[in-house]
Amino acid sequence: MSEELKSTNGPLEQFILLAKNTKGPALIALINQLLEAPGVYVFGEFLNLSCVEELSKGPNQGYFQLLNLFAYGSYVDYTANKDTLPVLSDAQKIKLKHLTIVHLAEKMQCIPYSVLMRDLEMPTVRALEDLIIDAVYTDVFRGKLDQCRQLLEVDDCIGRDIQERDIGSITNTLSQWCVGEFNVILKQQYVN
């Protein structure tokens, strides 16, 4: 995550403190507030709270699944499972769409409008561009709209939560990077 992009941990800490002694309908209300809260885009620490983990079993498991979706998933995942998940408020829907853009940016720096329109279920290009502009102003990512080529070029974006199962892949990528850097250093020494 770029140091210039806003830190997303400060507001989350307030929700963590409030949740520690909360259960039942009060916890559900707090989760809804968290998912709507401006500036909160990471949810892993909140998901690890014992009172939140208890939601994974029982009548409110949909809220636990929804939190997981905000932490690790995308709007596509929500629409595929919306029959088993709570209904999103407008603010939650916008936030999940912002997170979906970040999710897509992890895979490609230049995201075609067609992919964004499909994955975000946007009715018009204008609505898509408004959503992108909103995400830029909320410091979710930095980038440019290329209207001629119908692309969103992402330069930098916030980090998202990572799942334990992804740690091996991340370690492998970092190891490959280290080997590449080591080879560059060796070549530099050989040239000198």
Side-chain angles (χ1 to χ4, degrees), residues 59-112:
N60 292 316
Q61 69 182 3
Y63 285 94
F64 183 77
Q65 292 168 344
L66 189 61
L67 271 170
N68 270 286
L69 196 126
F70 270 75
Y72 312 114
S74 67
Y75 190 73
V76 173
D77 300 325
Y78 176 78
T79 57
N81 297 294
K82 68 180 170 185
D83 293 339
T84 62
L85 296 169
V87 175
L88 296 178
S89 68
D90 289 341
Q92 291 169 342
K93 197 177 287 188
I94 289 169
K95 184 184 278 192
L96 187 55
K97 288 181 178 188
H98 288 177
L99 289 167
T100 300
I101 295 171
V102 172
H103 180 76
L104 290 168
E106 292 170 354
K107 298 173 188 152
M108 58 183 114
Q109 185 178 1
C110 293
I111 309 169

Side-chain angles (χ1 to χ4, degrees), residues 23-25 28 31 52 54-66 86:
K23 292 186 187 262
I28 301 305
I31 289 170
V52 174
E54 288 174 13
L55 290 176
S56 67
K57 302 170 192 104
N60 292 316
Q61 69 182 3
Y63 285 94
F64 183 77
Q65 292 168 344
L66 189 61

Side-chain angles (χ1 to χ4, degrees), residues 60-164:
N60 292 316
Q61 69 182 3
Y63 285 94
F64 183 77
Q65 292 168 344
L66 189 61
L67 271 170
N68 270 286
L69 196 126
F70 270 75
Y72 312 114
S74 67
Y75 190 73
V76 173
D77 300 325
Y78 176 78
T79 57
N81 297 294
K82 68 180 170 185
D83 293 339
T84 62
L85 296 169
V87 175
L88 296 178
S89 68
D90 289 341
Q92 291 169 342
K93 197 177 287 188
I94 289 169
K95 184 184 278 192
L96 187 55
K97 288 181 178 188
H98 288 177
L99 289 167
T100 300
I101 295 171
V102 172
H103 180 76
L104 290 168
E106 292 170 354
K107 298 173 188 152
M108 58 183 114
Q109 185 178 1
C110 293
I111 309 169
Y113 276 24
S114 59
V115 171
L116 291 164
M117 296 281 293
R118 179 195 67 219
D119 287 5
L120 302 174
E121 294 185 349
M122 300 306 293
T124 65
V125 170
R126 177 65 190 176
L128 173 64
E129 290 174 343
D130 287 345
L131 179 77
I132 291 168
I133 291 166
D134 181 53
V136 168
Y137 279 117
T138 55
D139 286 329
V140 173
F141 65 87
R142 288 203 180 103
K144 297 178 271 230
L145 292 171
D146 185 337
Q147 294 173 319
C148 292
R149 296 186 331 180
Q150 299 279 287
L151 291 172
L152 168 62
E153 297 177 27
V154 178
D155 298 324
D156 195 13
C157 61
I158 61 170
R160 292 204 59 196
D161 293 293
I162 58 169
Q163 291 180 303
E164 245 180 82

Side-chain angles (χ1 to χ4, degrees), residues 1 8-9 12 16 34-35 40-48 66-73 99 102-103 106 158-167 170:
M1 178 169 86
T8 55
N9 289 341
L12 178 64
I16 290 171
L34 171 68
L35 297 179
V40 180
Y41 290 97
V42 292
F43 307 93
E45 285 182 68
F46 193 85
L47 273 164
N48 289 333
L66 189 61
L67 271 170
N68 270 286
L69 196 126
F70 270 75
Y72 312 114
L99 289 167
V102 172
H103 180 76
E106 292 170 354
I158 61 170
R160 292 204 59 196
D161 293 293
I162 58 169
Q163 291 180 303
E164 245 180 82
R165 68 177 184 222
D166 296 331
I167 291 175
I170 293 167

